[in-house]
Amino acid sequence: MKAVTESHAVSAARPRSPEAEQFLADVLRGLRRPAKELPCKYFYDEAGSRLFEQICELDEYYLTRTELAIMREHADEMAALLGPGCLLVEYGSGSGVKTRLLLDRLERPAAYVPVDVSRESLVRSARQLALRYPGLEVLPVCADFTGDFELPTPGRPAARRVVYFPGSTIGNFSPRAARRLLRGMARLVGPGGAALVGVDLKKDPRVLERAYDDAAGVTAAFNRNVLHVINRALGADFRPEALRHHAFYNASEARIEMHLVSERRQTVRIPSIGLRIELEPAETIWTESSYKFTRASATGMLAEAGLRLEAWHSDRERRFALALAAPRAQAAAARRAA
Ligand code: SAH
Ligand code: AVI
């Protein structure tokens, strides 16, 4: 089966931005693979970010309310461990709802730097936070946190850098990519810095599968949204309703997988680049992984990235956890000093 064909070279349209080039390259790479896939960061255009916010309100999606409850219970302790004057850098900040629980308790933070690829939700939440905390310098960065990005310099010098990475967004990365991302985070915070990372924990697969396949179909709409994003950005003619949302727990890999399954044989065209994509009946496009952890697996992942676990906060039912970690050399020095 020839899944992807190109009839001619790229047309002489107006030049694309570097982001649009990257998007095109990622989409082509994913759809050319024998097992088709798409990077999950492309879920989050404005509509996708709003759908994610709706997911967070669903009964089935226990992750957000559990993490919020852990924050409500332990944010005082976390803020005390992070200390005064820190520069808080949030990866994948989204709506910034959880951030407020931390900002309410942090002592005189030097500045808050939300980093997100979703420009609309970044601007919206940065504005809301700036209004809520008039004394706080808010310096939003619209960037892919897996790549290099310039960290803005706050007006006030920071006592230490802290990366806040809630939501179990780390679970959306393969173990290798997660290690690379955490290593980058360890470098960014440097000696004296810290990372506060949310991780969703392994549990009954039925609970996990319900969380990613809700009765109202919001997660299905979120999943299909990536096809709307591709249609709009590349002029493709995906018919999102002709692909079915499928989410299941892959126990051997400890991850939820989300796929879009072709309901029938269909051809998708991207005329601007002369591309045809053939989809067989029941052929899937893998759109997202969401890895689930144990305390041991999360600690191991952090250790492999040079981060040592300093504190672990979970809920009573052990559904979700927040890991506070510090670059290892620093953790060793703190132990020697103690
Ligand atoms: N932290 C929030 C939102 C989680 S949703 C919460 O816990 O509820 C994941 C967020 O990460 C989205 O806002 C999405 O736009 C952003 N995101 C995903 N991949 C990204 C990447 N590679 N670089 C920057 N932001 C990314
Ligand atoms: C952002 N991320 C941690 C969510 C998750 O649970 O993996 C994205 C999501 N996908 C489906 N529902 C929510």
Side-chain angles (χ1 to χ4, degrees):
M1 181 192 65
K2 201 166 178 219
V4 178
T5 56
E6 271 150 276
S7 56
H8 50 75
V10 174
S11 65
R14 68 189 155 84
R16 279 181 282 265
S17 67
E19 290 81 17
E21 282 298 340
Q22 186 62 52
F23 176 68
L24 176 61
D26 288 345
V27 169
L28 290 185
R29 193 180 316 113
L31 295 180
R32 276 181 177 140
R33 294 174 72 100
K36 296 182 174 58
E37 59 182 45
L38 288 168
C40 65
K41 69 178 174 187
Y42 296 126
F43 281 134
Y44 300 94
D45 66 342
E46 186 165 14
S49 296
R50 293 215 185 257
L51 283 165
F52 178 71
E53 283 171 34
Q54 285 178 37
I55 289 175
C56 293
E57 303 283 321
L58 295 168
D59 274 354
E60 294 98 325
Y61 198 73
Y62 60 86
L63 288 83
T64 308
R65 63 173 178 278
T66 311
E67 187 174 20
L68 282 168
I70 299 169
M71 291 296 289
R72 278 190 204 102
E73 195 171 339
H74 298 286
D76 280 334
E77 199 181 322
M78 292 173 194
L81 284 168
L82 298 179
C86 70
L87 175 69
L88 189 68
V89 183
E90 181 169 358
Y91 278 26
S93 46
S95 65
V97 169
K98 293 163 192 166
T99 325
R100 294 181 208 163
L101 292 173
L102 202 52
L103 286 173
D104 282 346
R105 290 159 178 90
L106 278 177
E107 195 183 332
R108 287 177 288 103
Y112 169 59
V113 181
V115 183
D116 206 294
V117 276
S118 181
R119 185 175 297 277
E120 297 78 12
S121 100
L122 178 72
V123 169
R124 186 161 27 102
S125 85
R127 275 207 194 110
Q128 283 166 358
L129 283 173
L131 282 173
R132 189 183 163 108
Y133 302 94
L136 179 69
E137 192 176 12
V138 180
L139 302 165
V141 174
C142 187
D144 181 338
F145 54 58
T146 61
D148 291 329
F149 62 89
E150 199 72 39
L151 193 64
T153 312
R156 246 174 354 107
R160 72 192 311 207
R161 290 179 179 174
V162 174
V163 169
Y164 179 42
F165 194 27
S168 199
T169 303
I170 191 68
N172 297 136
F173 293 85
S174 69
R176 193 153 161 260
R179 263 195 309 275
R180 202 179 319 127
L181 181 57
L182 290 168
R183 267 193 216 115
M185 212 177 270
R187 268 196 306 277
L188 184 126
V189 299
L196 182 58
V197 183
V199 286
D200 191 25
L201 301 178
K202 282 188 185 178
K203 56 186 65 63
D204 183 342
R206 286 167 303 183
V207 175
L208 288 171
E209 287 180 352
R210 271 201 298 274
Y212 290 84
D213 192 9
D214 61 280
V218 184
T219 311
F222 174 72
N223 196 4
R224 288 197 189 96
N225 185 57
V226 72
L227 303 181
H228 289 291
V229 171
I230 296 172
N231 281 352
R232 197 163 351 95
L234 302 179
D237 65 354
F238 270 109
R239 271 168 303 150
E241 68 292 345
L243 289 102
R244 179 170 52 83
H245 168 68
H246 181 46
F248 64 93
Y249 186 59
N250 179 336
S252 59
E253 299 290 340
R255 69 185 178 215
I256 285 280
E257 290 184 19
M258 283 205 327
H259 293 255
L260 288 165
V261 185
S262 179
E263 296 275 29
R264 53 180 175 269
R265 175 167 293 120
Q266 50 186 309
T267 304
V268 179
R269 290 177 191 78
I270 309 184
S272 61
I273 53 165
L275 187 76
R276 278 162 57 96
I277 302 152
E278 308 289 349
L279 284 164
E280 297 295 327
E283 187 175 352
T284 84
I285 305 177
W286 186 2
T287 51
E288 188 187 63
S289 295
S290 197
Y291 283 82
K292 306 302 163 190
F293 301 89
T294 59
R295 179 172 174 153
S297 70
T299 309
M301 168 177 71
L302 292 165
E304 282 169 3
L307 289 160
R308 184 181 181 279
L309 186 71
E310 303 275 276
W312 176 266
H313 296 294
S314 186
D315 55 298
R316 208 172 306 133
E317 291 168 73
R318 305 279 175 268
R319 282 181 296 190
F320 198 95
L322 279 143
L324 181 68
R328 211 168 336 173
Q330 167 210 341
R335 274 198 312 283
R336 278 196 301 275

